[in-house]
């Protein structure tokens, strides 16, 4: 007999197991939580763009800059709040496949660290440096090439994650715990 896990149950499960890496997570728990993160991210982008559209014609530039900074800080707080349960559900999903949870560092944390570095470079001092027009083609290539490599690496990790986490977990108990889907009747 299989017990169904709904979207709400999956999100609640991930937040209730915020720091828990022990045990196993079924596919629906992982993918529903991933969908939840995508929905939250889209809502943030939409609200941020609406906010910017309303703010620019009305407010002074310093107020807009302050609000943009506040939205950026809010984004990174949101990233950290969602990254922890996403990391732990990733570890538990790997456990369901009887894989080592340390692989989650490569699949989850490392791309987000690179994303943060790229964000601060593109949005921070690096943005002024790139758009200044003072760069030679070789200097520009030296900046753009790592960005392209990062994007290719990030896409490769995404493809690996999709293939790895779409596969079913091991049936029955494994070295990380009982099967989260099948209820074994005695």
């Amino acid at each position: 007999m299989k017990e169904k896990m709904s979207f709400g149950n999956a999100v609640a499960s991930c937040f209730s197991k915020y720091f828990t890496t022990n045990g196993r997570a079924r596919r629906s728990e992982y993918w529903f939580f991933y969908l939840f993160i995508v929905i939250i991210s889209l809502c943030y982008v939409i609200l941020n763009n609406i906010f910017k559209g309303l703010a620019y014609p009305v407010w002074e530039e310093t107020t807009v800059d302050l609000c943009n900074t506040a939205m950026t800080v809010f984004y990174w707080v949101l990233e950290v709040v969602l990254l922890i349960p996403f990391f732990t559900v990733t570890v538990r999903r790997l456990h369901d496949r009887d894989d080592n949870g340390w692989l989650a560092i490569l699949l989850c944390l490392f791309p987000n660290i690179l994303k943060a570095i790229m964000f601060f470079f593109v949005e921070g001092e690096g943005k002024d440096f790139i758009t200044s027009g003072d760069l030679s083609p070789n200097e520009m290539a030296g900046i753009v090439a790592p960005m392209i490599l990062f994007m290719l690496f990030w896409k490769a990790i995404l493809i690996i994650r999709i293939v790895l986490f779409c596969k079913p977990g091991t049936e029955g108990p494994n070295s990380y715990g009982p099967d989260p889907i099948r209820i074994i009747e005695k």
Side-chain angles (χ1 to χ4, degrees):
M1 172 185 237
K2 291 184 179 182
E3 185 181 316
K4 301 273 184 187
M5 180 171 267
S6 68
F7 178 82
N9 289 345
V11 173
S13 174
C14 287
F15 279 115
S16 70
K17 298 175 184 176
Y18 201 83
F19 294 106
T20 304
T21 57
N22 296 333
R24 297 166 61 176
R26 56 175 77 178
R27 283 182 286 187
S28 57
E29 183 179 357
Y30 175 83
W31 287 111
F32 278 143
F33 193 70
Y34 192 88
L35 177 63
F36 173 74
I37 290 173
V38 168
I39 291 169
I40 293 295
S41 299
L42 286 174
C43 289
Y44 170 80
V45 168
I46 290 168
L47 288 175
N48 191 30
N49 287 333
I50 289 171
F51 175 74
K52 283 181 180 180
L54 295 174
Y56 279 115
V58 178
W59 296 346
E60 295 177 14
E61 190 172 331
T62 54
T63 307
V64 171
D65 289 342
L66 181 63
C67 291
N68 284 340
T69 302
M71 289 300 283
T72 301
V73 168
F74 175 72
Y75 172 78
W76 286 105
V77 167
L78 189 64
E79 275 280 316
V80 170
V81 166
L82 293 175
L83 180 65
I84 294 169
F86 181 67
F87 177 74
T88 59
V89 77
T90 301
V91 170
R92 292 193 311 274
R93 182 71 194 117
L94 287 166
H95 287 173
D96 189 41
R97 299 197 12 62
D98 213 9
D99 292 327
N100 194 322
W102 286 101
L103 186 58
I105 292 173
L106 176 67
L107 297 174
C108 185
L109 290 182
F110 189 65
N112 281 306
I113 290 168
L114 287 176
K115 182 171 79 170
I117 291 168
M118 294 299 291
F119 176 83
F120 285 115
F121 182 77
V122 171
E123 290 295 321
E125 297 296 322
K127 182 179 182 180
D128 296 333
F129 182 66
I130 292 172
T131 58
S132 68
D134 296 336
L135 297 175
S136 71
N138 287 341
E139 291 171 325
M140 190 61 137
I143 293 171
V144 173
M147 289 179 172
I148 292 171
L149 287 175
F150 161 73
M151 289 306 292
L152 289 173
F153 175 76
W154 189 74
K155 295 297 181 189
I157 293 289
L158 184 63
I159 291 168
I160 291 168
R161 195 184 318 171
I162 289 170
V163 169
L164 193 62
F165 295 142
C166 282
K167 291 183 177 182
T170 55
E171 288 190 30
N174 67 16
S175 57
Y176 296 102
D179 192 336
I181 294 179
R182 290 152 193 92
I183 299 171
I184 301 171
E185 296 178 10
K186 294 185 179 185

